[in-house]
Amino acid sequence: MTMYISGLGMLGIFGKGRDELIKAVKDSRTTESYEKLNVDLKAAKNKKLSSKMRRADRFTKMAVYSVGDAVENHETEEFNLRETGVILTTAFGPHNTTFGFLDELITYGEKNVSPIKFSHSVHNAAASYIAQIFNIKGPVTTVAQYKFPVVHAITLARSWLENKLCENVLVCSVEEKGNVFDAAVNQKLKISDNNRLKPINFSEAGKAVPAEGAVSFLLTSAKIKSSCCRISQCGFNSCDFLSTDCYIAGADGIPPDQTFYKKITSNPKPVCVFSPVYGSIMTGTAFDIGIAVLILNNYCGYNDYIVNQAASSCLQPKKITCVKSDCCNDFAAVSLETL
Amino acid sequence: MKVVVSGYGVISGIGKDIGETLKNFSPAEIEPEAVTVFDSELKNPVFEVKEWPAEKYSTGQRSASLLFHALGEALTSAGLKRDLKKYRIGICIGTTVACQLNDIGFYENYKKNGLIDNNSLNRYLNGNLAELIKVRYGLSGPALTVVNACTSGADAIGTASLWIKSGLCDIAIAGGADEINKVPLAGFASLNNMSEERCRPFDKNRAGLNVGEGSGVVILETEDHIKKRNCHSDIVLSGYSTATDAYHLTAPSPEGTGLKKAVRNSMKEASVTGDEIAFVNAHGTATRDNDLIEGQVIGELIGKKIKFLSTKGYTGHTLGAAGGIEAVFTILGLKKKWIPKSHGFRDFDEEIGISPVTERTEIEKNAAMSTSLAFGGNNTVLIFKRQEN
């Protein structure tokens, strides 16, 4: 089943919204050029939405702001927001709130913890805020997955649409950064000491540059006015590698088995890597898809991000495939095409 | 396309397998007691899984251990104990605790010493339930962990059924698993939602829930596929719907908006009327708000004479596992043609307007509904049908 991306919202270390992402891509921003590797929530603040999130945590706010941008035209567009479904996907969820709750347990004891902290530490709190704030009454699901969280969410969205659970689906991917997780990543994987991300570097072990952000897509089963591209393929361990014009590889310094990336970069088609723009994020595929949408619609180019020397150039691609490999040489792929 | 239940397995405070569960449904004398799996200031009774065979327990991975225990029984009953790799199998598991790094020892160590305990971290990173199953059995289909609080297990089953209908897999392992953990225990206490005695779902004087733990797993597959394996199933998953209240983070909509929608849509998909439903296995947490709204919606949409029960009086509220465990109990009701009494219920609540069954009850009709509600306003309904051979 073909799905259309009919709304796109995002915030990351580069800023908020497609304009700031386009600028970051055009300016070849990289992780070492940012002052902070956190999302600037003050700059992203939207008064109308903020007033409904006084108690919400950072994770929820990122999710809601990205959804706000993805559905900004909903009052004038021909889609029914009320009958839309929501799939929130994350690897680690609102872990800072979980640790905040543990702080309360340690400091005040089991009988004196905050019910607000508890209810916000539940993984589906952010999705619940999205439903409440945007008055969405369709199915709402949160999934927590380390491997391919974004592609799993898009695959589920397609099943929802195919089985008519709802008319449209908002897929929202969110990941937050925090001290405990940074320390854990550093111990497990090693964090780059100069914030420099060197993906597709087969000669040395990769180093991560943990960052954070949220990306939301409005997926519709029919083409509507705001549709900007179509998802022609989405799945795991199978992909029509010959028919795409360009690849975006999700290599982000978190070391996978490199067999897949070696194979794909030996391909004559251009392979780009954009993770230096947004950082090492488990849900980074969502940023890659967002950037693919911008390239397909001619908002930005990709030449500066090509990583394979043998590449033949394609000035304006009509089809881009975003691929992500994991530590077991499994991969997930999403192909996007112009309308 | 028909999605059949070809196998099922369960473990909870009432029993470590199907046989023990059915046996203990009858006298129902297992009492909830104060938690023993960790030290706690809270003395509210809980339903722990006890007397667990040591060889079946992985240290520090209680939810996963519960899951694999139920999964083993489910695979055996589906005739799928060997050669799983040759099938296209998807995995969808619901949980709450297993996806959070809520290990107090780990966190205290980091806070005090700035140290990351690798054992705890590895347990967490290797503890994603769907991925664990995928790795252990070397499966190649989609693997997804659903974290919709207390509807997680039911949504995992519904999601798996959609995968099968969409052709993403031929067989799906689906259900839920959750362990008793200090975070939800203290969290529910902070919300004044925990009973000081056995919980009393739908009772006028209900005073909150008992936390429980366990796992319920079903094996789903297409009818064509089970025939190809020369196996048979008489249980069909014929309806799944989920809808949100968009009302409040912890309280259900007073009008039952999302639950009504999910009930109606699931009945439409299953092509059943209220009169054709044998019984409803309700979420029935014994909290004031949940039971009021759920009871009113069941009475309004299914009928005031419907036979219904909550099994929380036997298992406690097993959180992300509840939808999986209760799906298995619903299937058992259809297969055995009886349901146990709704344990803990004594006094009719006029505001709810309907009463659950107060004794073991024979059932005749062929369709049954399992409802699940959750924090965040999630409402999920599964309908199973027994088909005659």
Side-chain angles (χ1 to χ4, degrees):
Chain A
M1 176 193 198
T2 297
M3 291 183 290
Y4 296 85
I5 294 184
S6 303
L8 175 62
M10 63 192 77
L11 64 165
I13 55 176
F14 51 81
K16 178 175 182 275
R18 65 169 70 187
D19 290 346
E20 292 191 26
L21 179 57
I22 291 166
K23 188 170 185 314
V25 171
K26 282 184 173 171
D27 294 349
S28 299
R29 294 292 302 271
T30 54
T31 40
E32 68 258 47
S33 72
Y34 297 109
E35 269 179 44
K36 288 193 303 183
L37 294 169
N38 294 97
V39 166
D40 183 353
L41 273 182
K42 277 187 188 163
K45 198 168 173 177
N46 169 324
K47 269 191 189 166
K48 196 175 154 192
L49 298 178
S50 303
S51 64
K52 296 172 181 170
M53 294 194 288
R54 285 182 300 116
R55 290 169 165 174
D57 58 19
R58 182 175 181 77
F59 184 89
T60 292
K61 284 177 180 167
M62 287 195 286
V64 169
Y65 288 148
S66 72
V67 168
D69 279 357
V71 299
E72 63 185 349
N73 296 323
H74 76 92
E75 278 157 11
T76 53
E77 275 291 357
E78 69 266 46
F79 69 88
N80 183 356
L81 193 56
R82 195 181 161 89
E83 292 307 316
T84 295
V86 177
I87 300 171
L88 189 137
T89 186
T90 179
F92 299 123
H95 51 82
N96 290 323
T97 305
T98 301
F99 294 135
F101 189 75
L102 296 187
D103 265 331
E104 295 229 336
L105 271 173
I106 293 164
T107 310
Y108 304 116
E110 289 163 74
K111 291 181 176 172
N112 300 298
V113 291
S114 154
I116 292 169
K117 280 231 169 86
F118 171 62
S119 54
H120 284 78
S121 74
V122 178
H123 266 50
N124 69 336
S128 174
Y129 267 99
I130 291 169
Q132 284 176 59
I133 289 172
F134 298 101
N135 195 27
I136 291 170
K137 307 272 187 173
V140 174
T141 277
T142 302
V143 298
Q145 204 62 34
Y146 304 142
K147 289 189 179 184
F148 315 129
V150 176
V151 180
H152 269 106
I154 294 173
T155 306
L156 179 57
R158 189 174 58 195
S159 284
W160 280 10
L161 294 174
E162 279 173 352
N163 290 284
K164 304 199 185 312
L165 260 71
C166 50
E167 296 172 13
N168 324 289
V169 185
L170 264 166
V171 171
C172 175
S173 71
V174 203
E175 221 61 73
E176 69 175 349
K177 189 172 151 61
N179 293 339
V180 188
F181 261 66
D182 279 0
V185 172
N186 195 31
Q187 186 156 313
K188 258 342 246 184
L189 305 171
K190 301 302 172 200
I191 291 181
S192 167
D193 45 20
N194 57 3
N195 285 348
R196 188 157 180 222
L197 222 167
K198 293 193 285 183
I200 311 288
N201 180 354
F202 300 125
S203 60
E204 58 181 276
K207 288 185 178 175
V209 183
E212 63 179 8
V215 182
S216 290
F217 309 108
L218 176 70
L219 302 179
T220 54
S221 53
K223 186 178 157 190
I224 61 173
K225 245 190 286 177
S226 61
S227 298
C228 47
C229 71
R230 64 191 181 96
I231 295 178
S232 55
Q233 194 183 26
C234 173
F236 308 95
N237 295 328
S238 89
C239 178
D240 181 2
F241 284 111
L242 298 174
S243 71
T244 202
D245 297 327
C246 167
Y247 295 96
I248 297 180
D252 62 357
I254 298 173
D257 178 326
Q258 302 202 333
T259 314
F260 176 78
Y261 290 134
K262 277 181 180 163
K263 183 178 160 193
I264 202 147
T265 48
S266 63
N267 192 309
K269 298 285 173 66
V271 178
C272 312
V273 177
F274 288 94
S275 58
V277 177
Y278 58 78
S280 308
I281 305 180
M282 297 288 273
T283 48
T285 304
F287 285 103
D288 289 338
I289 293 171
I291 291 167
V293 170
L294 300 177
I295 295 170
L296 289 170
N297 287 280
N298 215 6
Y299 288 110
C300 56
Y302 60 87
N303 283 340
D304 292 348
Y305 296 89
I306 295 174
V307 293
N308 54 337
Q309 293 179 347
S312 61
S313 64
C314 172
L315 290 178
Q316 182 51 45
K318 293 197 179 319
K319 180 175 179 179
I320 298 176
T321 299
C322 299
V323 289
K324 174 93 180 167
S325 176
D326 72 355
C327 55
C328 307
N329 199 29
D330 285 331
F331 70 92
V334 180
S335 294
L336 299 102
E337 295 186 42
T338 52
L339 297 176
Chain B
M1 177 193 289
K2 268 188 186 172
V3 176
V4 300
V5 180
S6 55
Y8 47 92
V10 73
I11 181 169
S12 71
I14 194 179
K16 290 183 281 296
D17 54 30
I18 299 290
E20 204 174 295
T21 298
L22 286 169
K23 184 170 152 257
N24 288 334
F25 266 152
S26 296
E29 294 310 326
I30 291 173
E31 289 295 329
E33 294 169 345
V35 67
T36 65
V37 289
F38 50 81
D39 294 331
S40 176
E41 301 164 28
L42 299 165
K43 300 302 169 205
N44 305 70
V46 301
F47 284 93
E48 282 176 5
V49 174
K50 291 184 174 163
E51 298 167 25
W52 206 345
E55 73 275 11
K56 297 209 169 175
Y57 181 68
S58 306
T59 307
Q61 290 195 310
R62 196 170 173 86
S63 296
S65 303
L66 290 163
L67 172 65
F68 279 110
H69 191 93
L71 175 59
E73 186 180 29
L75 289 172
T76 302
S77 70
L80 279 167
K81 215 45 187 156
R82 291 186 190 140
D83 298 333
L84 293 189
K85 283 182 187 172
K86 71 181 181 186
Y87 300 112
R88 291 195 313 143
I89 300 181
I91 309 141
C92 196
I93 303 296
T95 189
T96 62
V97 172
C99 65
Q100 292 183 322
L101 186 47
N102 47 18
D103 179 328
I104 294 173
F106 166 87
Y107 186 63
E108 266 187 317
N109 193 21
Y110 171 76
K111 288 266 289 182
K112 283 181 187 162
N113 311 311
L115 297 175
I116 296 291
D117 173 34
N118 253 334
N119 289 333
S120 297
L121 185 61
N122 287 340
R123 274 202 300 271
Y124 171 66
L125 294 175
N126 297 323
N128 184 286
L129 297 182
E131 287 174 7
L132 262 178
I133 295 175
K134 183 169 178 155
V135 169
R136 181 172 290 192
Y137 290 99
L139 305 178
S140 57
L144 195 62
T145 299
V146 174
V147 285
N148 285 344
C150 306
T151 62
S152 301
D155 281 318
I157 292 171
T159 296
S161 73
L162 298 179
W163 285 351
I164 289 176
K165 287 177 183 173
S166 294
L168 290 170
C169 53
D170 299 315
I171 298 175
I173 293 166
D178 244 328
E179 68 195 69
I180 289 183
N181 176 281
K182 202 171 260 196
V183 168
L185 197 69
F188 281 116
S190 74
L191 290 162
N192 293 320
N193 263 347
M194 289 218 296
S195 175
E196 293 179 358
E197 55 172 2
R198 181 193 295 274
C199 65
R200 298 171 65 180
F202 299 104
D203 188 282
K204 185 174 189 171
N205 301 307
R206 63 193 178 277
L209 54 81
N210 307 131
V211 173
E213 63 181 352
S215 176
V217 175
V218 296
I219 308 296
L220 304 177
E221 63 189 301
T222 63
E223 200 168 38
D224 287 346
H225 197 266
I226 196 172
K227 277 181 190 161
K228 278 183 200 161
R229 293 199 299 116
N230 292 319
C231 294
H232 170 75
S233 168
D234 60 352
I235 299 293
V236 180
L237 173 54
S238 53
Y240 162 59
S241 182
T242 177
T244 190
D245 289 336
Y247 173 72
H248 191 268
L249 202 52
T250 56
S253 142
E255 290 81 33
T257 319
L259 182 59
K260 281 180 183 169
K261 186 174 175 181
V263 167
R264 285 191 179 112
N265 287 349
S266 63
M267 288 170 70
K268 189 177 167 193
E269 190 196 356
S271 301
V272 290
T273 63
D275 288 343
E276 291 169 313
I277 293 176
F279 68 93
V280 176
N281 187 355
H283 191 60
T285 53
T287 56
R288 298 300 311 174
D289 289 350
N290 177 91
D291 290 12
L292 174 64
I293 305 305
E294 191 181 16
Q296 287 177 341
V297 170
I298 290 170
E300 182 186 331
L301 298 188
I302 319 280
K304 297 221 183 281
K305 290 183 179 168
I306 185 70
K307 294 168 183 169
F308 79 104
L309 78 163
S310 163
T311 52
K312 300 289 196 293
Y314 298 94
T315 63
H317 190 353
T318 57
L319 310 180
I325 290 172
E326 287 157 26
V328 173
F329 291 169
T330 306
I331 291 163
L332 285 175
L334 282 174
K335 286 186 83 78
K336 302 295 175 188
K337 301 189 179 180
W338 63 270
I339 52 174
K341 70 173 182 180
S342 192
H343 205 11
F345 176 83
R346 288 200 291 267
D347 299 317
F348 176 66
D349 184 335
E350 295 86 358
E351 218 181 338
I352 293 175
I354 56 172
S355 297
V357 294
T358 53
E359 56 188 18
R360 175 181 154 138
T361 302
E362 308 301 315
I363 55 123
E364 290 171 356
K365 297 169 190 171
N366 293 327
M369 176 184 284
S370 180
T371 52
S372 297
L373 287 76
F375 273 14
N378 283 56
N379 303 272
T380 298
V381 177
L382 299 169
I383 296 179
F384 296 94
K385 279 184 182 171
R386 184 184 61 230
Q387 55 185 3
E388 300 301 333
N389 292 335

